[in-house]
Amino acid sequence: MPAAETQLPTRDRILFTSAELFRRQGYAGTGLKQITAQAPAPFGSLYHFWPGGKEELAAEVIRTGGDFFLALYRAIIDAAPDLLTGVGDFFTGAGETVAATDYQDACPIATVAGEIASTHEPLRAASADVFELWLGALTEDLVTAEVPRARARELSLSILALLEGAFLLCRTLRSTEPMTAAGAAAVALLTPDLEADA
Amino acid sequence: MPAAETQLPTRDRILFTSAELFRRQGYAGTGLKQITAQAPAPFGSLYHFWPGGKEELAAEVIRTGGDFFLALYRAIIDAAPDLLTGVGDFFTGAGETVAATDYQDACPIATVAGEIASTHEPLRAASADVFELWLGALTEDLVTAEVPRARARELSLSILALLEGAFLLCRTLRSTEPMTAAGAAAVALLTPDLEADA
DNA sequence: GTCTATAGAGAGATAGAC
DNA sequence: GTCTATCTCTCTATAGAC
């Protein structure tokens, strides 16, 4: 998994490398010099494309990470025969990805979100927007499956909490066991509400 | 909530202040100068008590945070009429604490754990020990309540994932809604297994 | 737009007086 | 054990040549 994707434009190389380093090492733990060295890109290019510096770059990393993960969710759900199966598939795929990257890559925004929630208000707001984007997608899918909206919102919050908590536990314990358990719990939680209209 | 607890010994003031700053700002985001300034304590005292510097200090913060949270869990569970009620109470209390600290204080180790999982192996191992400590406590309580051990382990992982995920969502969304949903989900998950022997 | 050099601040760590 | 001063390194950010 070489970090330098040489055929991409400079701006994208910086953006993708930033995303990788931020999600693995966090915001404060990643230096701009490290990003441009690994991209690779001249240091000055970073300030050419993001005049607002580190915080502006991180805000875009959070937004694009949110869009990417939403697209992944949509693709997996649409490929599944039904929503319940799709949610189970999503947890299974998450566990496979975490293990395949040697427990480095999990949620695209969680590491940064936890670190800056109390210290960088613009980045906290960007992270909140992303979480609400994901919650909205799952909530709408549940509503489409005849779950009442208030209950769909509550279930979405629990499913996302299970996923995020499992990501942290998998990376820390270096095991996929938490993701397997969380996926089973997510399916168990959804089953009564989704079977009601089957 | 003054950070300086003047009557405590220097070592404890540094330790408690470090715990507060690490859980709110993360490991890389917290400077040793900031810790000794806020404790308050002379800068040299930090290296007197922790010759290994920042990493040795953080390792002790993780361990003591783990012990503190375990004691809190034990107190809440023991005060409840039964395990199911106790778990619900724990989530309720967690939500209250997060809100009462203006969404700053949540899990004592999660912020650091997520940040250093891929970069500081000794701290990752210390965080893993703490998570296993908590998982062991809940698993034993479930086994005592007649839940088969393998199932108790799986449920413990799901409950802890729900808690950690809800902590992150509450801090990022600045709302207790995720903790309320996660608490309800935790109770719903446990109910069939705990009612089986009732 | 690309790239290098460097400014200015702050980091972690150490030495040594008291 | 307490406390100050300082070393060296790295950080974010900027200036300016090309």
Side-chain angles (χ1 to χ4, degrees), chain A residues 23-30 102-105 110-111 113-119 121 124-125 127-129 131-132 135 153-155 157-166 168-169 171-174 177-178 180-182 184-186 188-189, chain B residues 23-30 102-105 110-111 113-119 121 124-125 127-129 131-132 135 153-155 157-166 168-169 171-174 177-178 180-182 184-186 188-189:
Chain A
R23 73 172 170 261
R24 294 182 178 186
Q25 310 178 342
Y27 180 75
T30 300
D102 196 31
Y103 302 96
Q104 292 193 97
D105 288 343
T111 304
E115 192 185 355
I116 51 71
S118 302
T119 52
E121 177 55 24
R124 183 206 63 79
S127 304
D129 289 345
F131 283 140
E132 288 293 356
L135 289 168
R153 167 77 178 180
E154 183 188 8
L155 285 170
L157 283 162
S158 298
I159 302 297
L160 183 55
L162 275 167
L163 179 69
E164 292 295 346
L168 175 64
L169 293 177
R171 295 220 305 142
T172 302
L173 300 180
R174 298 187 65 84
E177 188 194 11
T180 303
L189 268 179
Chain B
R23 73 174 170 260
R24 295 182 177 186
Q25 310 179 340
Y27 180 74
T30 300
D102 197 30
Y103 302 97
Q104 292 193 98
D105 288 343
T111 304
E115 191 186 354
I116 51 74
S118 302
T119 53
E121 177 56 23
R124 183 206 64 79
S127 304
D129 289 345
F131 284 141
E132 288 292 358
L135 290 167
R153 167 77 179 180
E154 183 188 9
L155 285 170
L157 284 162
S158 298
I159 302 295
L160 184 55
L162 275 168
L163 180 69
E164 292 295 347
L168 175 64
L169 293 177
R171 295 221 305 142
T172 302
L173 300 180
R174 297 187 66 82
E177 187 194 10
T180 304
L189 269 178

Side-chain angles (χ1 to χ4, degrees), chain B residues 142-157:
Chain B
L142 287 167
V143 167
T144 300
E146 309 280 351
V147 176
R149 181 165 295 274
R151 175 64 175 159
R153 167 77 179 180
E154 183 188 9
L155 285 170
S156 298
L157 284 162

